Amino acid sequence: MPLVKAPSGAAAPGGGPARNTPNRDAVLADLTADTPDTRRAAARACRAFPDAVALIAKRLEEEEDTRVVEALVLNLVAIGGPAAAAALAPLLRSDRAGCRFAAAEALADMGPDALPFFDALIRDSDPQVRIMAAEIARGRVGGAVVQTLEHLLGMEEEINVCCAFIDVLAETGTADTAAVLTAVLDRLPEDQFLRFSVETALSRLPTD
Amino acid sequence: MAMPRTGGPSQPDAVTDEEFARFCEFIYRRTGLSYGASKRYFIDRRILERVERSGVSSVQSYLALLRFDSTGRELEEIINSLTVNETYFWREEYQFACLANSILPEVVRTKRRGEPVRIWSLPCSTGEEPYSIAMWLLENWADVDQYDVEIIASDIDTQVLAAARQGLYDARSVQRLPKWVLDRYFERPTSDRWRIVDSLRSSIEFTRINASDRAQMAKMTDIDVIFCRNMLIYFDDVSRREVADSMYSSLRPGGFVCLGHSESMSRISPLFAVRRFADAIVYQRPAR
């Protein structure tokens, strides 16, 4: 029979020797290595150093390889806490779209630790930041963000921001959200894309 | 190992909302398994069963036992009772056809002489999947004699791993198998039981792995194909991404992941490319 049993040492996690804690300086230095594989390995290893969140977030701002970005984001979510959220929040202003979305995704996955930052970013003077902040509301930050989005939608002047809020509310809203959406159309009746967004959202909202 | 029941005051018959929430948070932290309110009845039943069997007097005491049990036995027991192990031989066999017809021919193109083909079944439950892979390859992959094929089978549940090693099945498990397959790969210890032949049982490496434990996952390396079907549906978004990240690291560049028919890696992680083969859609770690 051509099937062979895998060596048990290689397949049994409990059977191998315990791994040493990685060398902090070497790992952090490897975050800027030339090869993506080395940077990704370092990005995975640096979870052992939760005090390095600022450095990890800085790498996220500069890193372009998707595989490394994913490892950095997962680290920041796993480390969690206000420090990690605080390190991620400024990245919503990054010039690089990949970085902005990675940071928003991480904050969305972070849960209640992201809430204070969401509350500030969703009221930012820069409409681009408000659009990215809306992405956080798709995540685990809690039901209160729906009320915040509904409240701010009632005052928002930028059409693109309105549409971003409506897009998220279509996923997260309740039956009560319908009245808020209808009110936006009454306030800004001329914009056809806004009308399309509202109608699409209304068709997706729960009805009871 | 269950502790003897101590008698004493009557056992609790309900789990409070707070206890339910604390339990779910604890299990999530340890395993990545995510349970919402829709699973309340299922979870409550399991907790109350374990309260009774472990001999503690309240759900609160049981939660303390779980948290501070340095042996990890009670955690293992409750995980065993929570995991779903419903499967059968040749389930979603189109993926095995894809493995033999498309995936492995591509995998072996870059193999050096003597380098094994490594296939990982995660989770393997009671063994139907890894044995199905083995039987399918022996019968359907033309090059099976040209390569050493290693099949590794892992699960978090120690009870199902023990059953998988034993390789003893009832009629429901083998219902999809043709008679000639049953005749070739099974023995009949009794009229209503089928046992995998020794030569096949001994060729599979069974090992316990908690998929949400990065350190355990990191020890699995150089894998060519991972079968990870109908497991990620029990995880929340973050845990799914973590497991996908670990699977990416375990795969060789160019290696493949097969998910359940209702699962999509594209909604979980940006790390994999979609590959559409004639028999199935699978996911691939890019070669470079």
Side-chain angles (χ1 to χ4, degrees), chain B residues 229-240:
Chain B
R229 305 192 297 178
N230 307 309
M231 178 181 80
L232 296 175
I233 50 177
Y234 297 102
F235 289 64
D236 73 345
D237 288 349
V238 178
S239 303
R240 279 189 203 116

Side-chain angles (χ1 to χ4, degrees), chain B residues 139-167:
Chain B
E139 296 301 328
N140 296 290
W141 186 32
D143 285 342
V144 72
D145 291 325
Q146 309 298 315
Y147 298 91
D148 285 345
V149 179
E150 297 178 357
I151 300 176
I152 303 148
S154 306
D155 205 287
I156 192 173
D157 184 331
T158 50
Q159 286 176 359
V160 297
L161 280 172
R165 287 190 185 99
Q166 204 177 19

Side-chain angles (χ1 to χ4, degrees), chain A residues 47-127:
Chain A
R47 187 175 299 189
F49 314 114
D51 56 322
V53 287
L55 190 60
I56 298 169
K58 184 171 184 300
R59 273 311 306 162
L60 189 57
E61 191 169 7
E62 295 159 0
E63 181 60 57
E64 295 189 0
D65 188 285
T66 307
R67 299 164 298 166
V68 187
V69 167
E70 180 72 356
L72 292 168
V73 166
L74 288 172
N75 273 350
L76 289 167
V77 174
I79 292 168
L88 282 164
L91 301 185
L92 262 63
R93 301 179 197 284
S94 169
D95 293 334
R96 292 180 39 242
C99 178
R100 290 197 300 272
F101 277 99
E105 261 184 54
L107 285 165
D109 284 341
M110 206 165 262
D113 288 328
L115 192 54
F117 300 95
F118 167 79
D119 283 336
L121 292 163
I122 203 70
R123 295 174 171 83
D124 197 274
S125 59
D126 183 344

Side-chain angles (χ1 to χ4, degrees), chain B residues 84-101:
Chain B
V84 178
N85 299 302
E86 187 77 5
T87 189
Y88 47 86
F89 283 92
W90 286 14
R91 183 180 185 181
E92 296 181 33
E93 65 188 68
Y94 60 90
Q95 289 195 332
F96 304 136
C98 184
L99 178 70
N101 298 338

Side-chain angles (χ1 to χ4, degrees), chain A residues 4 40 44 47 67 70, chain B residues 214 241-242 245 248-249:
Chain A
V4 296
R40 178 177 148 78
R44 281 175 59 83
R47 187 175 299 189
R67 299 164 298 166
E70 180 72 356
Chain B
R214 293 195 344 150
R241 281 178 80 174
E242 286 279 9
D245 194 65
Y248 179 95
S249 296

